Amino acid sequence: GEDVEQSLFLSVREGDSSVINCTYTDSSSTYLYWYKQEPGAGLQLLTYIFSNMDMKQDQRLTVLLNKKDKHLSLRIADTQTGDSAIYFCAVDSNTGFQKLVFGTGTRLLVSP
Amino acid sequence: DAGVIQSPRHEVTEMGQEVTLRCKPISGHDYLFWYRQTMMRGLELLIYFNNNVPIDDSGMPEDRFSAKMPNASFSTLKIQPSEPRDSAVYFCASSLQRFSYNEQFFGPGTRLTVL
C-alpha cells in the first residue's frame, strides 16, 4: 500500500525558516497536502499542491514538489512561536476516492 | 457552521466496558471518516462512509470495533469490549466530494482512556 514518511521532530528559533520534508511511494497521487495539528485539536488543511506543479507559494508558506524523487516539502518563512504544531503530509489514495494517506507527522518546536 | 462535532471530548472507562463515540459531520458533507491517533502508530484511518454507506473498513482493528451512520448528520464508533490498548484520540472528519482537491474537516477528537 501507499506509504508516506516524515521526520518526527524539528526545532528552530523564532524568525528562522523551517523546512519539513516528506517522501511518498504512490506516484499516481493527484493532490498532495499539508495539514497542521495544534495541541488538543484536530487536523486542519494548511495548503495543497496539484501534482503537475513544482512549487506553490502562499504568504509565508512554500510547497515544493519533486515528482521524480517523490519528495514534498513545506517551507515556513519567518517562523513564529504560534507555528509550533504537528505537521502532516498527506496524499490522495489510489485505493479510494476522497481517501487520504497521512504521514507520521513532524512536530515543529519554535523557541523564542 | 459549527464544524465537525464530537462527543464526548474525554472518556475514561474500565476494561471490558462498552464505549460509544459520536460524531456530527458538517451539514451537506457526503463523506465521513473515523481516525485513531496514538504516539506509537500515528494517525490511522479506521473506516469511512459515503452517503451513509461504509466504503472501506479495512482499518478497523478487530471485531470489537463497529461503526454506523444511520443518517447524514450522525455517526457512532463503538468499542465492545474495550481494552487498555484502545486508549487513543479518536477523530471524526467529514468532506464534500469535489472533482479537485480533497479537504477533510476534522473534529476536536475524543480522548479515550481505558483502564
Side-chain angles (χ1 to χ4, degrees):
Chain A
E2 305 101 329
D3 194 24
V4 180
E5 297 287 339
Q6 300 177 238
S7 53
L8 291 180
F9 188 75
L10 177 65
S11 179
V12 300
R13 289 198 176 274
E14 192 172 26
D16 289 349
S17 291
S18 307
V19 179
I20 302 171
N21 295 299
C22 169
T23 57
Y24 57 96
T25 57
D26 181 14
S27 59
S28 66
S29 297
T30 304
Y31 286 91
L32 302 95
Y33 309 83
W34 285 103
Y35 278 75
K36 178 182 180 181
Q37 183 182 26
E38 297 188 350
L43 282 69
Q44 186 173 16
L45 180 65
L46 197 58
T47 187
Y48 64 93
I49 187 168
F50 187 47
S51 57
N52 70 350
M53 297 171 65
D54 297 325
M55 184 181 81
K56 179 180 180 181
Q57 189 143 5
D58 184 1
Q59 299 182 329
R60 292 189 299 122
L61 306 178
T62 302
V63 179
L64 295 177
L65 174 61
N66 182 328
K67 287 194 71 175
K68 175 176 170 292
D69 294 339
K70 299 179 187 173
H71 183 267
L72 184 72
S73 68
L74 174 69
R75 178 178 180 269
I76 306 174
D78 188 25
T79 313
Q80 303 297 306
T81 54
D83 295 324
S84 293
I86 302 175
Y87 292 81
F88 290 87
C89 170
V91 303
D92 290 336
S93 168
N94 63 9
T95 61
F97 188 68
Q98 289 280 318
K99 181 179 174 181
L100 297 179
V101 179
F102 284 89
T104 48
T106 299
R107 183 178 296 270
L108 174 65
L109 178 64
V110 183
S111 55
Chain B
D1 199 320
V4 175
I5 299 172
Q6 292 187 246
S7 65
R9 292 294 313 276
H10 302 273
E11 176 81 34
V12 180
T13 191
E14 292 190 345
M15 183 174 64
Q17 296 297 306
E18 178 179 295
V19 175
T20 299
L21 311 181
R22 297 172 175 80
C23 175
K24 176 178 167 55
I26 292 174
S27 177
H29 281 190
D30 51 2
Y31 280 82
L32 184 138
F33 306 82
W34 281 101
Y35 291 91
R36 178 172 69 176
Q37 185 178 37
T38 61
M39 290 291 290
M40 291 297 294
R41 300 176 68 91
L43 190 68
E44 301 173 277
L45 176 65
L46 301 178
I47 185 172
Y48 75 101
F49 296 82
N50 176 218
N51 291 324
N52 314 335
V53 175
I55 301 300
D56 183 350
D57 66 354
S58 60
M60 295 287 260
E62 48 199 273
D63 292 344
R64 297 184 297 106
F65 286 69
S66 62
K68 293 182 180 179
M69 192 165 185
N71 57 62
S73 58
F74 184 66
S75 177
T76 59
L77 178 67
K78 187 176 293 187
I79 308 172
Q80 166 64 11
S82 58
E83 297 183 3
R85 60 193 168 118
D86 302 330
S87 297
V89 181
Y90 290 82
F91 289 103
C92 175
S94 69
S95 69
L96 177 64
Q97 180 172 335
R98 64 179 86 200
F99 296 101
S100 62
Y101 72 96
N102 168 7
E103 180 174 7
Q104 294 185 12
F105 293 81
F106 282 72
T110 295
R111 181 174 295 276
L112 173 65
T113 303
V114 184
L115 303 175

